[in-house]
Amino acid sequence: MAAYRPPHIPSSEITPLSAWLNRRQFIAAAGLAAGGLIATKALGAPLTTKPGAYKVDEKTTPREDVTTYNNFYEFGLDKGDPAKLSGDFKPRPWTIKVDGMVAKPATFDIDTLIAEFPLEERIYRMRCVEAWSMVIPWDGFPLAALLDKVEPLGSAKYVAFETIVRPSEMPGQSGLFQSLNWPYVEGLRLDEARHPLTLLAVGLYGETLPNQNGAPIRLVVPWKYGFKGIKSIVRITLTDQQPKNTWQITNPGEYGFYANVNPEVDHPRWSQATERRIGEGGFFSAGARRPTLPFNGYAEDVASLYSGMDLRANF
Ligand SMILES: Nc1nc2c(c(=O)[nH]1)N[C@H]1C(S)=C(S)[C@@H](COP(=O)(O)O)O[C@H]1N2
Ligand SMILES: [Mo]
């Protein structure tokens, strides 16, 4: 990727990619999205979950904000696009293939998994790399439970994830201008993937996951920046090579593999020291700013995973 000079726009107001694109391309893409279909918002079915062990003692972000302020480039670049343009997406039937360095590779039907694993509600802080945050009541099961079923081999060191490619239902994948390379991909170290905080979410606010939030199944890693939470997962592969992630591929100078929330390491174009809590502070206000916590407030649980590592070099 050639060296990139960022434009001088207030960084709090732009998404990383819209800043990264040249303005002409961005306007063309926005035009395509505006001419696209406007979907009606369908509510998911209620889920039966039990209260999980993990809870944040902070006000939850209103459901309206959680489901209308999204990043999901398969449905467009603007935060409002996923809610507006994901109505044609069909999250069922759905299978996930789990393969690679495992003793028992298998393809799982999503509803069979949901029936098999007891669902837990966990209230997690989510912190995006653009310095906004939410507190979301997720419903899901630990990723470790699924990994156990396929029996990772001793040689497996990392877990790679892949989002579905379905341009017929995802306007961001079918337009003339393609924002990212599809499929969207992500990765974790195996010990991060097995950590009890790492969740495969299938719902929020007690209902089946809305399309715009990553239906039918998405990753939530609460101590990392939001982009690690890959949506609409169709494949999970155990490997001995550190997987690349989409934002790192798109802009390697700005996004790394680890992406642990770290107020001391700034993004090259903005500070990561504070965050704006979505849904607080009123419509015309920038929202209440609060200091960002190391590991997004989960340091006690996860800091030991990185002992001895230089967290500036491994951003
Ligand atoms: N497949 C896919 N997954 C994705 C993204 C995306 O564009 N495509 N965006 C990521 C980013 S940058 C963030 S901040 C979170 C947003 O999740 P939310 O919309 O549920 O808040 O999803 C992540 N997962
Ligand atoms: Mo993000």
Side-chain angles (χ1 to χ4, degrees):
M1 188 109 335
Y4 161 68
R5 300 295 311 158
H8 296 281
I9 308 173
S11 53
S12 58
E13 299 311 319
I14 52 182
T15 61
L17 188 67
S18 55
W20 192 80
L21 298 173
N22 79 48
R23 189 154 169 78
R24 188 184 300 270
Q25 283 176 316
F26 184 65
I27 288 164
L32 284 173
L37 36 139
I38 303 297
T40 49
K41 199 199 299 167
L43 287 191
L47 290 177
T48 309
T49 60
K50 64 177 167 96
Y54 296 102
K55 268 192 178 40
V56 169
D57 195 16
E58 289 167 32
K59 210 162 131 287
T60 53
T61 304
R63 182 195 171 281
E64 177 67 15
D65 293 302
V66 172
T67 57
T68 58
Y69 192 91
N70 300 104
N71 265 344
F72 199 169
Y73 277 56
E74 284 84 340
F75 295 106
L77 304 183
D78 288 343
K79 299 282 188 277
D81 286 342
K84 285 185 214 140
L85 303 175
S86 66
D88 277 357
F89 184 68
K90 291 176 195 63
R92 286 196 170 56
W94 192 276
T95 58
I96 299 191
K97 183 179 183 178
V98 190
D99 63 358
M101 294 178 154
V102 299
K104 296 181 173 168
T107 297
F108 299 95
D109 171 69
I110 173 94
D111 289 310
T112 309
L113 287 180
I114 290 175
E116 186 172 340
F117 297 130
L119 296 187
E120 295 172 40
E121 186 196 63
R122 297 169 167 207
I123 302 177
Y124 279 167
R125 247 182 240 107
M126 179 166 142
R127 164 67 159 83
C128 197
V129 79
E130 303 102 317
W132 49 272
S133 64
M134 299 189 186
V135 175
I136 305 178
W138 296 107
D139 296 287
F141 54 83
L143 171 60
L146 178 57
L147 295 178
D148 284 346
K149 285 178 83 81
V150 297
E151 298 177 12
L153 301 177
S155 49
K157 297 281 179 285
Y158 297 93
V159 185
F161 303 84
E162 231 178 85
T163 293
I164 196 164
V165 178
R166 199 187 274 169
S168 61
E169 296 175 16
M170 297 177 134
Q173 288 182 336
S174 61
L176 292 178
F177 168 71
Q178 293 300 311
S179 55
L180 300 172
N181 287 321
W182 316 113
Y184 193 100
V185 291
E186 251 308 331
L188 294 172
R189 231 167 50 190
L190 184 55
D191 59 342
E192 298 176 320
R194 279 193 174 290
H195 192 281
L197 278 169
T198 303
L199 192 71
L200 283 173
V202 297
L204 54 78
Y205 270 101
E207 71 191 46
T208 301
L209 203 59
N211 286 348
Q212 60 267 35
N213 291 92
I217 187 162
R218 61 86 60 82
L219 187 67
V220 183
V221 194
W223 71 94
K224 293 179 180 283
Y225 290 114
F227 70 83
K228 300 295 283 184
I230 182 172
K231 295 172 164 180
S232 306
I233 300 167
V234 285
R235 187 172 181 190
I236 298 177
T237 305
L238 284 283
T239 165
D240 58 0
Q241 307 291 313
Q242 189 179 98
K244 288 262 186 257
N245 67 61
T246 288
W247 287 103
Q248 191 184 18
I249 293 165
T250 308
N251 201 339
E254 299 194 355
Y255 305 98
F257 170 75
Y258 282 96
N260 293 320
V261 173
N262 189 342
E264 286 172 14
V265 175
D266 288 341
H267 185 278
R269 286 183 280 135
W270 54 78
S271 162
Q272 298 276 38
T274 64
E275 64 200 62
R276 182 169 65 93
R277 186 60 52 84
I278 299 296
E280 287 180 8
F283 190 77
F284 291 105
S285 141
R289 284 215 162 258
R290 58 181 75 217
T292 290
L293 302 169
F295 297 103
N296 208 21
Y298 299 92
E300 236 175 76
D301 297 287
V302 301
S304 64
L305 292 175
Y306 310 101
S307 56
M309 273 178 66
D310 177 352
L311 297 177
R312 282 187 175 270
N314 297 284
F315 60 96

